[in-house]
Amino acid sequence: GGGDELYGVEPTSYYVKNLLLNLNLVALWGLISLPILLLRLAISGGEERARTNRMLWKKITILLPMYIWLAIVVPRPHKEERFLFPIYPMLCVGAAITIDE
């Protein structure tokens, strides 16, 4: 067969190990940023709710491309570190958002 198998296949743990080796805690904080924002959106209340929700939705919109990229790249059998390079900056942004929240 051709395709992914032609160039070698790796388990999903390849990306997990790679992210942890390259970005350490930043990778973890970046990956949990969307769940944290969604949780914050669900529990927000009070007078400043509308303003807070607008800001949360802006942050969610900024992070969505990272999760879309991961949804496309991670399931593919052929894995290379270079496929993660486009999301490194987004992981750093996500980590900053996680720390800020």
Side-chain angles (χ1 to χ4, degrees), residues 20-48:
L20 290 176
L21 285 172
N22 289 325
L23 296 175
N24 300 311
L25 285 176
V26 172
L28 293 175
W29 290 334
L31 290 173
I32 66 168
S33 57
L34 184 63
I36 286 177
L37 288 174
L38 292 175
L39 179 65
R40 179 110 191 275
L41 189 65
I43 62 173
S44 67
E47 282 185 19
E48 294 187 25

Side-chain angles (χ1 to χ4, degrees), residues 6-17:
L6 184 63
Y7 300 104
V9 296
E10 297 286 342
T12 303
S13 62
Y14 175 82
Y15 282 148
V16 173
K17 290 178 198 173

Side-chain angles (χ1 to χ4, degrees), residues 30-77:
L31 290 173
I32 66 168
S33 57
L34 184 63
I36 286 177
L37 288 174
L38 292 175
L39 179 65
R40 179 110 191 275
L41 189 65
I43 62 173
S44 67
E47 282 185 19
E48 294 187 25
R49 181 179 181 154
R51 187 177 71 79
T52 302
N53 284 354
R54 273 196 307 275
M55 187 57 106
L56 290 174
W57 278 111
K58 285 180 185 179
K59 291 176 181 178
I60 289 169
T61 303
I62 289 169
L63 291 172
L64 275 178
M66 175 180 68
Y67 289 96
I68 292 169
W69 184 261
L70 286 171
I72 293 169
V73 171
V74 170
R76 303 216 24 112

